[in-house]
Amino acid sequence: MINTISDLLEQFKLYALTKIEQDESNVKHRVTIGEMFEGVTQQLLSRSVFKGLNLKIVQRSFISNDEGAMSDEMDCMLVVGEGQNISFSGRFKYHIRDVIAVFQVKKNLYANDIDDSHQNLRSVLNISTPRDAEPFVGRMHRDAYRALVGKELPERSRVENLPDKEKMAYHLLLMEAFHPLRIVIGYYGYSSEYSLREGFVKKMEQNLKDGSTKGYSPGGLPNLYICGNNTIIKNDGMPMAFPFTQNPYYWEILMSSSEKSMYHMLELIWTRLSYKFGISSDIFGDDFDYEAAHPFLACKVMKLTDSHWGWDFRYHYLTRKQLSLPMSALPWKPYELDVPQVVILQFFQAQGYCNVSDPSLLDLISRNNIDFESTLQILIKQRLLYQEENEIGLLVDDLQICIAGDGKIYAGENKSGEMSHYLLNLIKKSG
């Protein structure tokens, strides 16, 4: 379903831009030009969201908080409910809890426009004062942390004892789930993925030299940039989730792509809506492949003083030729297991989690003559189990283990039907 709708949006975007070029090429008034492209964005969004959820798309409106503080004007917002009409205008104020996503709309997106968007969208973060979060925020936070860090989300009382990178990830991902989505859309501008990446990095370097870094921390970066057909996507596990690596720059915070810009926008919005409203994952269809993307910016946390932290970034430079090579989505597939791995997984499938010195676990290891350390490390690498200090537990929500027709044993997540779909295809191919 998501592929079908994203294709329709791509066609509508092409139609709308062609119509503007043909019919309105003589319009020079900047405000009117801005309104045209904000109108295109509103039409795209109206075709993107579900009926019956009381969702609305409003233009040139504002966000407020409990104290009455207001954001800068937002070009376009996806919101819930009626909001508060600003007297004698077509504009609205919406409380931040009712804002799903905000959009900065640009006819052309170049370096200065990216920076301008960052500064405008910072006002969304500035008015995000503490409030009681909805239950979906906790669920998103947990799933993102598990996907990126590869461990269970810790209790709050344990957070301060975590390693630095996990502690910062905990706090940053919580804010990512708490804040509205921030999306920058430019209909023209940089003509290639290469030029978009280069322009972004050069502007970032210029700001650092000038001493201005506001808006460029991992938390300040928008969730998505669209520039024509090219995109920069934030890897925050909501939903894009390339796990932390063992490299010094362990968090691939931004990825880039030259394909499927509307798909990436839909995936962000639908993921947020599915968590907030409890919508079935069936809306995404039965395509569980991992969308391919190029690494763009990686980062690591670093301690500046005893009480201050900062982020250091590393640019993954790729040539025009490297970026022009076709990318293919990585197919979802379960892990093939040996018997000792199955025995350990089945134990945790029943137990959930336990201490490494749990008598029942030690007895199981002894009776089956299992090399537990090597078996555990393989299952952790496969992201089926996690280990946090002396605690070991299951990292998937709905583990399914099965024996295929060829006698091989497979295990994988089935929370959204991934494993069932894989097995069904396996049966079809063998039959």
Side-chain angles (χ1 to χ4, degrees):
M1 182 176 175
I2 189 170
N3 281 301
T4 301
I5 301 298
S6 65
D7 288 344
L8 289 174
L9 292 182
E10 294 286 4
Q11 292 173 20
F12 176 79
K13 184 175 77 168
L14 179 61
Y15 158 78
L17 295 181
T18 300
K19 184 172 179 60
I20 289 174
E21 289 173 0
Q22 291 176 347
D23 299 348
E24 316 298 345
S25 60
N26 61 338
V27 175
K28 306 300 180 184
H29 188 244
R30 289 186 63 185
V31 174
T32 303
I33 292 171
E35 288 178 348
M36 286 193 296
F37 285 94
E38 288 161 13
V40 172
T41 305
Q42 184 179 41
Q43 289 294 313
L44 285 170
L45 291 173
S46 68
R47 289 161 168 78
S48 305
V49 299
F50 307 100
K51 307 300 181 185
L53 299 179
N54 199 21
L55 297 172
K56 298 183 183 300
I57 298 102
V58 295
Q59 292 175 249
R60 301 198 170 191
S61 294
F62 302 85
I63 305 172
S64 64
N65 61 17
D66 289 333
E67 287 74 41
M70 286 180 49
S71 70
D72 294 345
E73 181 184 88
M74 298 292 119
D75 291 337
C76 201
M77 301 195 300
L78 173 61
V79 295
V80 181
E82 300 302 322
Q84 179 183 346
N85 183 241
I86 298 176
S87 301
F88 306 106
S89 76
R91 305 181 187 194
F92 295 85
K93 288 189 291 185
Y94 273 85
H95 192 281
I96 192 165
R97 65 171 171 267
D98 296 322
V99 180
I100 304 295
V102 298
F103 301 81
Q104 271 294 101
V105 181
K106 304 288 186 182
K107 176 183 177 181
N108 296 300
L109 190 68
Y110 291 107
N112 288 338
D113 307 294
I114 290 172
D115 189 62
D116 176 71
S117 297
H118 280 203
Q119 305 317 316
N120 179 272
L121 293 174
R122 279 183 60 224
S123 72
V124 179
L125 308 183
N126 292 340
I127 65 162
S128 294
T129 51
R131 66 181 191 275
D132 291 336
E134 296 177 75
F136 84 89
V137 171
R139 296 195 301 273
M140 284 187 67
H141 183 210
R142 176 177 181 256
D143 288 349
Y145 187 90
R146 284 160 46 121
L148 291 174
V149 181
K151 295 181 180 180
E152 183 55 77
L153 185 72
E155 298 290 335
R156 285 191 180 183
S157 60
R158 296 172 55 187
V159 172
E160 289 308 308
N161 296 323
L162 294 174
D164 291 340
K165 69 178 184 180
E166 293 172 22
K167 185 192 308 181
M168 296 300 285
Y170 178 96
H171 292 298
L172 194 148
L173 293 175
L174 177 58
M175 290 298 98
E176 287 290 299
F178 190 71
H179 296 317
L181 293 168
R182 285 106 54 214
I183 297 173
V184 179
I185 299 180
Y187 289 94
Y188 302 99
Y190 292 114
S191 60
S192 68
E193 183 182 357
Y194 175 84
S195 57
L196 174 61
R197 289 161 59 103
E198 288 286 298
F200 186 107
V201 168
K202 287 176 181 177
K203 185 62 180 179
M204 193 173 182
E205 290 175 339
Q206 178 187 330
N207 284 0
L208 289 171
K209 289 178 182 177
D210 295 342
S212 173
T213 58
K214 293 180 178 180
Y216 288 86
S217 69
L221 297 170
N223 301 88
L224 178 68
Y225 308 76
I226 295 175
C227 183
N229 294 322
N230 305 298
T231 54
I232 295 174
I233 313 124
K234 196 171 190 177
N235 179 41
D236 62 2
M238 304 175 196
M240 180 167 280
F242 288 88
F244 285 2
T245 68
Q246 296 303 314
N247 299 325
Y249 293 86
Y250 54 87
W251 192 337
E252 300 288 352
I253 192 65
L254 292 181
M255 313 292 288
S256 71
S257 173
S258 61
E259 301 175 346
K260 305 172 72 171
S261 61
M262 291 295 99
Y263 178 96
H264 293 301
M265 184 183 77
L266 272 187
E267 193 173 43
L268 274 174
I269 295 171
W270 285 14
T271 296
R272 185 62 61 107
L273 293 177
S274 69
Y275 276 93
K276 183 176 177 66
F277 294 103
I279 301 171
S280 168
S281 59
D282 291 345
I283 59 173
F284 297 98
D286 56 8
D287 179 8
F288 301 108
D289 293 353
Y290 302 105
E291 288 301 318
H294 294 118
F296 174 34
L297 284 183
C299 64
K300 65 177 180 179
V301 66
M302 59 182 187
K303 199 166 189 175
L304 303 176
T305 67
D306 288 342
S307 58
H308 291 85
W309 295 81
W311 293 90
D312 189 22
F313 289 89
R314 177 177 179 271
Y315 174 33
H316 290 282
Y317 175 77
L318 295 174
T319 65
R320 288 182 187 274
K321 183 175 181 180
Q322 288 172 313
L323 291 169
S324 67
L325 296 174
M327 292 191 298
S328 299
L330 301 174
W332 186 94
K333 60 182 181 180
Y335 293 100
E336 185 180 342
L337 306 177
D338 60 24
V339 173
Q341 292 163 5
V342 173
V343 171
I344 296 299
L345 270 185
Q346 287 178 329
F347 173 86
F348 284 102
Q349 192 175 28
Q351 193 90 355
Y353 65 91
C354 74
N355 192 281
V356 292
S357 58
D358 185 284
S360 55
L361 175 60
L362 297 177
D363 179 62
L364 179 79
I365 294 168
S366 176
R367 283 188 289 106
N368 291 275
N369 195 27
I370 295 173
D371 180 352
F372 181 64
E373 187 56 37
S374 63
T375 300
L376 175 63
Q377 291 310 311
I378 290 171
L379 294 174
I380 289 174
K381 186 177 180 180
Q382 294 172 338
R383 307 181 78 77
L384 296 171
L385 293 181
Y386 72 89
Q387 182 174 10
E388 179 60 45
E389 296 181 345
N390 291 325
E391 180 183 285
I392 302 171
L394 206 59
L395 194 59
V396 293
D397 289 303
D398 185 9
L399 177 67
Q400 186 168 341
I401 302 172
C402 68
I403 302 176
D406 57 4
K408 293 181 179 179
I409 308 173
Y410 295 97
E413 175 70 87
N414 201 44
K415 181 179 181 180
S416 301
E418 299 96 322
M419 192 69 174
S420 297
H421 178 69
Y422 179 86
L423 293 174
L424 184 61
N425 284 339
L426 206 62
I427 293 170
K428 287 179 180 178
K429 289 177 182 178
S430 62

